[in-house]
Amino acid sequence: MSSVAVSKKKGFGAVLWDYLTTVDHKKLGVMYLFAGVLFFAIAGFEALLMRIQLMVPNNDFISAGLFNELLTMHGTTMLFLAATPLLFGFMNAIVPLQIGARDVAFPFLNSLGFWLFFLGAIFMHLSFFMGGAPDAGWTSYASLSLYSPGHGIDFYVLGLQISGAGTLISGINFIVTIITMRAPGMTFMRMPLFTWTTLISSSLILFAFPPLTVGLFFMLVDRMFGANFFDHTMGGNTIIWEHLFWIFGHPEVYILVLPAFGLFSEIIPVFARKRLFGYSSMVFATILIGFLGFMVWAHHMFTVGMGPTANAIFAIATMAIAVPTGMKVFNWILTIWGGSIKVTVPMLYALGFIPSFVAGGVTGVMMATAPLDYQLHDSYFIVAHFHYVIVGGIVTAIFGSMHYYWPIMFNRTLSEKLGVLTFWVFFIGFHLTFFLQHFLGLMGMPRRVFTFQADQGWDLFNYISSIGAIMMAVGVVLLVINVLLSIKTPPVNRRDYWGDGRSLEWSIQLPVPFYNFKQTPLVRGFDPCWLEKQEGNKEMMTYAEPLGDIHMPNNSILPLIMSIGLFIAAFGALYHPDGVSWSVPVIVIGLGITVLAMITRSVKDDHGFHVHVEEVIATEERLYGKGGNK
Amino acid sequence: MMKGLKKWRLFSLLAVITVFLSACSGEDYISTLKPAGEVGQDQFDLLIFSISIMTLVVVVVSFLYLYAFAKFRRSKLGEKHMPKQVEGSHTLEIIWAVIPIVLLLILSVPTILSTYKFADVKAMDEVDEEGNKTALTVNVTAKLYWWEFEYPEQGIVTAQELVVPTGERVYFNLKAADVKHSFWIPAVGGKMDNNVENVNKFWLEFGKESEGLKDGVFYGKCAELCGPSHALMDFKVKTVERAEFDAWVASMQATEGQTASVDSTDLGEATFAQSCLGCHAVSGVGSTGAMGPNLATFADRNRVAGILEHNKENLESWIANPEEYKPGNLMTGKYSELSPEEISAVADYIMSLSVEK
């Protein structure tokens, strides 16, 4: 229905409608990517403002209250609304191609997940224009968030609830897709590492988001109806929030970093021209990290007063995670050992990632040492630590993968030259910003401070750190310029853009047709693209079926309508505690819209459509010229 | 020429490292890298121990990584070079699983020992033959942007500046009055949270007298985000010898019954009694729970409002408009507007409150 019929020049309205209604995993991947970049830019700008404020002691560039709003929105946005969608973008765009599927298992839900995330994110950001953003930190510890005046925290709670539902839906979708939609021959132990990490990280989403949902729900009813879950004067307990938050919050780190590991496990073998070293131990380590990730949440709470036994147990459990993570690092190094390393931009990010992430990892073990953590906790040391993990691990993966997968996603290329420049500016800026923050923490500087007094020995390092932040910002601007310039590059129009592609997605002739695979591929071993190339197969793919009709899902506007309904209802809920008369009607109308859309979806049968053989042949000719997919 | 350049390079590198290292250890009244006390020292030792292990790991990884990176470049091996496709190696995989486990086991021993050591507060309840507590206990109540220190056995209370004896374990009961805070004296030892719903107990030992430090005090910080003025929620710690501490306690106890009178001929005292006394006591005898910081020792303190330099001008500015210095504080608007003369007189009065002079 979509691409073939409207393949000629389309008007702006038609393109817009296509994107609003699409259920195509590739388009949703692009939408996740751009939404992620948008929020990444916003949150990065917030960070820049904070670093300018902290450049010199006793600065008054930003007021105390605004600074707390910025630090809260920076953390919340980066984790929930930037890193998550950026990684979802790659998962959407790449995982179905890697496993030889024509789409995800639930295309409709895929679209719903995106719109819930996007409207939840927009809702949260409207807080800046509607009386103040949340200001209790991204952790939103209960005593402070209940005390916080205005609607900031309500925006946080409702926005995260909506976008969190989207994330949960997408996670479930990936689990089902990877388990059920693999091409013939794509056994679990032949799955590329990115698919594996997507599967494990989606399973973590499945188990980690419900505790957050519960916590947010408690917070919501506390603030809306005075339910007193967290009000200690009424028998509530704020520590419960901390537990609920971190039972979610710690796995969240692995939800983000595992796909990043997966992306690097794709990039490194390709540019080392060598099979990933220790594939099965990589898979095992991924599963182990995912499992242990749920056993360690209380290491965020060593100073809460849980007692020495709990602290000691969680300290040891946390240290244990270093073992599978270390296995991964050694496997990557042994992959390039004896290989033939070509330093492209994606590889540059991978090579920069290894030492940065190791640095973040070892400080992690230091923080796991509970008695030492009493000093490091809530100081600038922890700020340095988690930025080494998140920027050094996740952001480098995202930037590297943008270069790596740009040809598949857009049939265009990002400039290598500009990419190298971007890498160095960003990478040096990153280390300049965060390396010295370790020492600031050790020298006694607490985190989340909007200013500091002069002459405590912190002036110089803060100044240098701020300069690093400006360099990082320049790096991001360069990346955006690179993206804009890529529009003008010639289309790639071939297979295996990097020349050493190994997994199935590189076997596909670019541009990828909307049905992905003309014929479902037959996977004959690990690294199928590499395997077929070694055997001299010019098409880089063996097929499991003859050419036939292809069944594809229909587009739908319903996911957007459902999400808009919740978006509207959230405003009613937000203003309900003020006692305004229209709050309940708005909640009812909003939820009504959502429920009506759900009923429509349920009663109206939608069996999708078939792309007939002739149409497939016509599409192939249009995309690749006479002779079709050769 | 080249040799000279190389030497110069080496020299400048050394100079940079020296400057860096000296800049890295921070100030002795606030840095965890210059520990003054048993807990801080143990934590510092643990820091050095864990850094050593971690440095070992980083060096090994970096060496393997840089060697592989330098040796196996395609630019050297040629475009056509086809590396051997290795699946993995069980031996190597076992080696790099076991070595980290051993390193972590080594690290976990002092971790567990110190965790229990720092949490050992049994001595809090120990009493001598006469039934008096043998150890000093301080109840710390964190309130929106200030700290209250109660000495329950001595029956005295102070604020913003903690006074403790050196060379013995001092025990703390930590509690928050409004939102969560965290009590941290970086140079003396790690932090612990002041929760709203329960009392946390821990101990610190103060290893040296604060007299010789830049301001004559150690710096204390709130380490948990608690609102707009979280960054300004500082306190100071004065550590003195036991005898001096006992003398201080005695002079604090001697302020019993001290108060300000509305009928005083002194404009400052009368205004204070009118506008301030409702929240701020001027006697050091009492218990926790005041609305505002106890001011019995104000003149002995180091800062106005925990952050401003200790002089009359700053005190006047603070009284005139606290919101400007600590946004979100609970003092703003609690008293009727004062005339400049009244403010000046009140400042004079407060600046006269001392137990040490």
Side-chain angles (χ1 to χ4, degrees), chain B residues 299-324:
Chain B
D300 310 329
R301 286 180 200 161
N302 197 271
R303 288 286 195 281
V304 173
I307 41 165
L308 303 170
E309 202 184 318
H310 200 263
N311 57 42
K312 195 186 155 205
E313 291 73 52
N314 280 338
L315 181 56
E316 286 174 348
S317 321
W318 166 255
I319 297 169
N321 187 7
E323 195 63 18
E324 190 185 333

Side-chain angles (χ1 to χ4, degrees), chain B residues 150-161:
Chain B
E150 180 198 14
Y151 301 70
E153 294 302 308
Q154 289 72 18
I156 57 175
V157 62
T158 185
Q160 295 296 54
E161 199 161 305

Side-chain angles (χ1 to χ4, degrees), chain A residues 241-265:
Chain A
W241 167 268
E242 295 186 30
H243 281 291
L244 284 171
F245 186 86
W246 287 118
I247 287 173
F248 149 77
H250 194 77
E252 167 74 4
V253 179
Y254 296 100
I255 289 169
L256 298 177
V257 88
L258 286 178
F261 287 171
L263 290 167
F264 283 126
S265 302

Side-chain angles (χ1 to χ4, degrees), chain A residues 93-133:
Chain A
I94 304 304
V95 166
L97 304 182
Q98 281 196 329
I99 61 173
R102 292 205 166 107
D103 207 322
V104 292
F106 307 118
F108 182 89
L109 283 188
N110 203 9
S111 165
L112 180 61
F114 172 80
W115 288 113
L116 283 173
F117 140 71
F118 188 70
L119 288 175
I122 294 287
F123 179 80
M124 212 187 301
H125 275 83
L126 286 177
S127 63
F128 276 115
F129 311 103
M130 300 176 73

